[in-house]
């Protein structure tokens, strides 16, 4: 059996004189052969398993430490990438608008008719998400009519957003 992350590359069976013995493949992991009346030698080589990526992103390597997390958020519709979906931009800072969009996607939100933030244009890609999050008490802005959708989100702001999201979902917050 190959170690995790590896697959069987080749397998050969030879008799005591070095003559190859014919193998019959039963499955991807099982082969049979007719045992001669003498000892045999079985040699197997293993190769690193290659996994086909289902991601459309050109900047997420399959061996990246965050690869599985990117697959998860992409397959669950939470994040769809940057630059029209051709990249993920893993080292880019997360903005307040992006985080609102993630929550909107996660909750499959629908936008209210209009928003109240003066810095969230009605045609901005994050407008529906920000307006939905504000209407549902998940985000509140800076208190001066501004939301700051292009500002990087801080850890404390994300904690508040996640807390408010849990309240919105009706989780016991005691």
């Amino acid at each position: 059996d190959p170690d995790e992350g590896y697959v069987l590359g080749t397998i050969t069976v030879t008799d005591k004189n070095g003559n190859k013995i014919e193998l019959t493949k039963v499955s991807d992991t099982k082969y049979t052969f007719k045992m001669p009346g003498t000892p045999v030698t079985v040699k197997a080589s293993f190769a690193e398993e290659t996994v086909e990526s289902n991601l459309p992103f050109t900047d997420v390597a399959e061996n990246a430490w965050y690869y599985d997390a990117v697959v998860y958020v992409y397959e669950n519709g939470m994040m769809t990438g940057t630059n029209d979906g051709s990249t993920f931009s893993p080292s880019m800072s997360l903005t307040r608008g992006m985080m609102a969009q993630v929550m909107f996607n996660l909750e499959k939100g629908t936008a209210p008719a209009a928003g109240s933030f003066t810095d969230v244009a009605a045609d901005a890609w994050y407008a529906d998400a920000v307006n939905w999050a504000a209407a549902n008490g998940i985000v509140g802005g800076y208190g001066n009519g501004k939301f700051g959708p292009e500002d990087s989100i801080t850890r404390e702001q994300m904690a508040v957003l996640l807390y408010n999201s849990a309240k919105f979902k009706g989780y016991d917050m005691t």
Side-chain angles (χ1 to χ4, degrees), residues 86-165:
S86 63
T87 57
F88 187 77
S89 303
S91 60
M92 175 187 276
S93 294
L94 192 66
T95 67
R96 292 166 52 85
M98 287 176 184
M99 191 62 199
Q101 187 68 51
V102 168
M103 299 308 296
F104 182 76
N105 293 349
L106 183 63
E107 297 300 323
K108 297 174 180 43
T110 56
S116 58
F117 298 115
T118 59
D119 60 347
V120 176
D123 61 349
W125 64 266
Y126 47 74
D128 288 346
V130 171
N131 294 336
W132 169 85
N136 288 291
I138 297 170
V139 299
Y142 291 129
N144 58 358
K146 306 260 186 210
F147 178 71
E150 299 295 334
D151 296 350
S152 292
I153 191 165
T154 66
R155 293 168 67 94
E156 68 182 338
Q157 290 168 350
M158 189 177 293
V160 170
L161 187 147
L162 294 172
Y163 177 83
N164 290 342
S165 177

Side-chain angles (χ1 to χ4, degrees), residues 17-62:
N17 298 321
N19 298 317
K20 282 190 177 181
I21 296 175
E22 184 178 338
L23 296 173
T24 303
K25 185 175 182 177
V26 177
S27 71
D28 285 339
T29 59
K30 189 174 187 178
Y31 291 80
T32 61
F33 61 92
K34 185 174 180 181
M35 182 70 179
T38 60
V40 297
T41 302
V42 177
K43 289 187 179 179
S45 69
F46 299 94
E48 212 169 333
E49 184 174 25
T50 57
V51 179
E52 286 294 316
S53 175
N54 293 327
L55 295 177
F57 311 127
T58 59
D59 60 348
V60 179
E62 291 175 15

